[in-house]
């Protein structure tokens, strides 16, 4: 499930749905197993950071897990600071119409967040493979 959620990230990024990206990154799955990170959305009362997993993990998993955590924080920051703000469904429709008419969101360079998403997919796979290898 971790990898499946990660594989949705590039689609969300290409659609410039950064709220959707934040939803994935702040899901219980990412918080519980992979990152346990305090996202920018939640950083109103405490600094943005990752905490150690409450479940002791095998040492073999830790390098990939730390890289995964770092990339999740990178994408969380990118998505948080590049999201489009709207206040209700009417506002969202008007914003969509305006951007369609003006082309304001066309030709946006998404290479950085797409690279980060690919890293998240890669490190998610590595973490799961290493966890599975310790269980067998």
């Amino acid at each position: 499930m971790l990898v499946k959620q990660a594989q949705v990230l590039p689609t969300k990024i290409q659609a410039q749905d950064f709220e959707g990206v934040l939803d994935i990154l702040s899901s219980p799955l990412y918080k519980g197993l992979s990152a346990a990170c305090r996202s920018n959305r939640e950083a109103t009362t405490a600094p943005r950071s990752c905490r150690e997993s409450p479940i002791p993990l095998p040492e073999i998993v830790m390098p990939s897990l730390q890289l995964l955590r770092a990339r999740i924080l990178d994408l969380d920051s990118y998505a948080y600071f590049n999201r489009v703000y709207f206040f209700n469904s009417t506002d969202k429709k008007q914003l969509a119409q305006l951007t369609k008419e003006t082309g304001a969101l066309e030709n946006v360079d998404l290479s950085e967040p797409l690279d980060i998403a690919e890293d998240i997919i890669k490190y998610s796979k590595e973490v799961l493979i290493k966890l599975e290898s310790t269980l067998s």
Side-chain angles (χ1 to χ4, degrees):
M1 192 67 169
L2 181 70
V3 175
K4 284 185 181 184
Q5 278 194 344
Q7 290 171 332
V8 174
L9 290 171
T11 305
K12 296 276 188 191
I13 292 167
Q14 289 168 339
Q16 297 182 36
D17 178 9
F18 294 116
E19 282 295 328
V21 169
L22 291 169
D23 289 342
I24 291 171
L25 297 180
S26 61
S27 71
L29 183 61
Y30 272 90
K31 291 189 156 307
L33 174 63
S34 65
C37 294
R38 176 177 293 283
S39 70
N40 277 298
R41 279 183 178 167
E42 303 165 329
T44 56
T45 58
R48 189 177 73 98
S49 63
C50 291
R51 60 178 165 72
E52 290 304 315
S53 173
I55 302 168
L57 296 172
E59 193 61 38
I60 192 170
V61 174
M62 297 314 289
S64 297
L65 184 60
Q66 289 179 354
L67 291 170
L68 176 63
R69 287 176 173 169
R71 296 311 272 168
I72 287 172
L73 286 174
D74 291 344
L75 188 55
D76 177 81
S77 290
Y78 187 95
Y80 185 78
F81 292 112
N82 288 283
R83 64 194 170 142
V84 176
Y85 297 92
F86 55 87
F87 302 100
N88 55 42
S89 59
T90 303
D91 192 29
K92 185 177 181 179
K93 285 181 191 176
Q94 291 173 343
L95 188 59
Q97 182 66 31
L98 181 63
T99 56
K100 186 177 182 181
E101 289 172 3
T102 62
L105 296 176
E106 292 177 8
N107 301 323
V108 174
D109 182 12
L110 298 173
S111 59
E112 179 185 358
L114 287 170
D115 288 345
I116 297 169
E118 290 304 317
D119 286 346
I120 290 171
I121 293 167
K122 179 177 92 174
Y123 296 133
S124 294
K125 287 178 181 177
E126 284 180 16
V127 166
L128 287 180
I129 288 168
K130 289 176 181 179
L131 278 173
E132 288 173 354
S133 72
T134 61
L135 295 174
S136 46

